[in-house]
Amino acid sequence: FLLFGLMLTTIYLEKMERGGLFDKLRVSLDDPVNWKRSAKIMAMSTIGSAAVMNDSVVLIFSGVVVDLCVRHKVANSLPYLLSLATTANTGSAYTMTGNPQNILIVSLAYDDISWMAFLRDMVVPVTAASAINAAMLFIYYSSELFPGSSGFLECFGIVFSGNRTPEMLAQEHAYHARNVAKSPDDDQNNGGWTVWSKIQIIIITIFLVCFATGLDVCVTSICAGAILMVLAAWKRQHYDPKPEYIEYDAEG
């Protein structure tokens, strides 16, 4: 039941489509600097996997990451896809609802442990594992994430000091030039947070608070998923643009 509730919640978070929370997350992951874009993907994957479930986060955001790679015409998309996949695995270990293995462990061996107690016990090891994972990705893929850099020491200097190589500056200028050339419709679509995004944030916040206060995780996740399902259906029926129906004559 818990697995079903988490899948239901994640799917209908994504189903909000136009103006929903996932639309804003897609926009927020974009960045002209390669390593920052990778770091944003890692942060999103870690938090999302801990809050809901790693499988859902990877399935939903794989297409988003590929779209970002195509948009920026990167030579190698592996650093960004591995940023998503590896941190989804490490981040999901934060909570008992992060992955099916944790759900099984809690249900069979530690039935009396609370959501917060599990999180508290896992903070230090998972944070350390996430930091090591990020450092290894930055070092191994330094040529892609830090173009123009010479050695991992310079890479970490760029991360902590904010320096830029000429290649990184050229990428930033090209990114901002593309943004200037965008149509007004694109700017409108990527505007501020909509009421639907805010409603989703409120629901997910209540969802996590219920977990933290010790309420039944199965009931909480199924209720959150059901509320999001009804909200998505109501939004699609009353607010989203209606599809255009084209009538064809006998000649097509």
Side-chain angles (χ1 to χ4, degrees):
F1 289 109
L2 178 55
L3 187 60
F4 167 74
L6 291 171
M7 292 294 288
L8 188 68
T9 300
T10 308
I11 287 169
Y12 280 97
L13 276 174
E14 196 270 341
K15 285 284 186 183
M16 292 295 287
E17 296 169 355
R18 301 168 67 93
L21 178 60
F22 274 59
D23 276 351
K24 297 306 172 187
L25 288 175
R26 288 184 182 99
V27 174
S28 65
L29 289 178
D30 201 4
D31 197 281
V33 181
N34 291 358
W35 74 264
K36 287 186 178 180
R37 192 161 61 250
S38 175
K40 287 181 178 182
I41 293 170
M42 291 183 199
M44 178 278 304
S45 180
T46 299
I47 296 170
S49 298
V52 281
M53 197 167 59
N54 60 351
D55 297 342
S56 305
V57 169
V58 170
L59 285 172
I60 290 170
F61 279 98
S62 293
V64 178
V65 173
V66 171
D67 179 65
L68 286 174
C69 293
V70 172
R71 187 181 308 173
H72 289 272
K73 300 178 181 179
V74 300
N76 185 6
S77 60
L78 269 179
Y80 309 98
L81 290 171
L82 286 175
S83 296
L84 174 68
T86 56
T87 51
N89 278 328
T90 56
S92 67
Y94 270 119
T95 64
M96 66 169 65
T97 55
N99 58 57
Q101 294 86 348
N102 283 5
I103 296 171
L104 183 63
I105 290 169
V106 170
S107 62
L108 294 180
Y110 301 103
D111 203 29
D112 58 342
I113 191 171
S114 68
W115 194 82
M116 279 301 294
F118 192 99
L119 173 63
R120 186 170 56 250
D121 292 339
M122 298 303 294
V123 162
V124 173
V126 175
T127 301
S130 299
I132 293 170
N133 177 69
M136 291 176 66
L137 282 171
F138 281 174
I139 292 171
Y140 191 80
Y141 290 104
S142 58
S143 60
E144 168 64 35
L145 300 177
F146 303 90
S149 63
S150 56
F152 69 92
L153 290 178
E154 184 180 359
C155 296
F156 283 101
I158 291 171
V159 171
F160 294 110
S161 66
N163 294 332
R164 302 282 193 276
T165 64
E167 289 83 355
M168 295 170 70
L169 288 173
Q171 288 181 342
E172 287 190 59
H173 293 157
Y175 173 85
H176 293 303
R178 287 197 303 269
N179 284 345
V180 170
K182 277 185 179 179
S183 66
D185 291 338
D186 291 334
D187 292 336
Q188 185 176 2
N189 292 335
N190 296 336
W193 289 78
T194 66
V195 64
W196 304 109
S197 304
K198 295 173 183 177
I199 291 173
Q200 285 178 297
I201 290 173
I202 292 171
I203 293 173
I204 293 303
T205 302
I206 296 172
F207 169 76
L208 295 176
V209 168
C210 290
F211 273 4
T213 53
L215 295 180
D216 188 274
V217 289
C218 297
V219 174
T220 300
S221 57
I222 291 174
C223 289
I227 292 170
L228 288 166
M229 179 174 63
V230 172
L231 182 64
W234 187 67
K235 173 180 177 289
R236 190 173 297 110
Q237 182 177 0
H238 296 286
Y239 287 91
D240 284 351
K242 303 297 181 186
E244 295 182 2
Y245 296 100
I246 301 175
E247 295 184 1
Y248 295 94
D249 56 19
E251 297 180 356

